[in-house]
Amino acid sequence: MKEAIRQFYNEGFATLFYKKPVSYLDKKIKNKKVVKFISILIKIIYTILILALAVYILYKKLPK
C-alpha cells in the first residue's frame, strides 16, 4: 500500500503539480514546519484535482 501511495505522488501529473512545487519550496523556505504544512496542503489539492478529473472522465466515457 505504501508503494501505491508513493507512486501516486511521484509519477504522472504529480511531477508537475506536487513534486516540483514541494521540492522548490523545500529549497527556498528554511522553516520545515511551514514546508510540511504547505506540502500537505498541496497534496490535498492535488488529490482532489485528480479525483475530480477521474470522475469527469468516467462520467463522459460511460454510456448513458
Side-chain angles (χ1 to χ4, degrees), residues 9 17-19 21-22 25 37-47:
Y9 290 108
F17 294 116
Y18 175 71
K19 195 173 182 181
V22 169
L25 288 173
F37 175 75
I38 293 174
S39 69
I40 289 172
L41 188 64
I42 292 172
K43 189 181 277 190
I44 290 170
I45 292 170
Y46 169 72
T47 304

Side-chain angles (χ1 to χ4, degrees), residues 1-51:
M1 184 67 179
K2 273 187 169 181
E3 182 62 28
I5 293 171
R6 186 201 63 78
Q7 185 177 6
F8 181 72
Y9 290 108
N10 288 322
E11 293 180 1
F13 284 122
T15 14
L16 180 63
F17 294 116
Y18 175 71
K19 195 173 182 181
K20 285 183 181 179
V22 169
S23 64
Y24 177 78
L25 288 173
D26 197 29
K27 291 177 187 174
K28 295 295 181 182
I29 300 175
K30 299 299 179 200
N31 190 347
K32 295 299 175 185
K33 287 183 181 180
V34 173
V35 171
K36 186 168 179 102
F37 175 75
I38 293 174
S39 69
I40 289 172
L41 188 64
I42 292 172
K43 189 181 277 190
I44 290 170
I45 292 170
Y46 169 72
T47 304
I48 291 171
L49 175 76
I50 293 300
L51 290 176

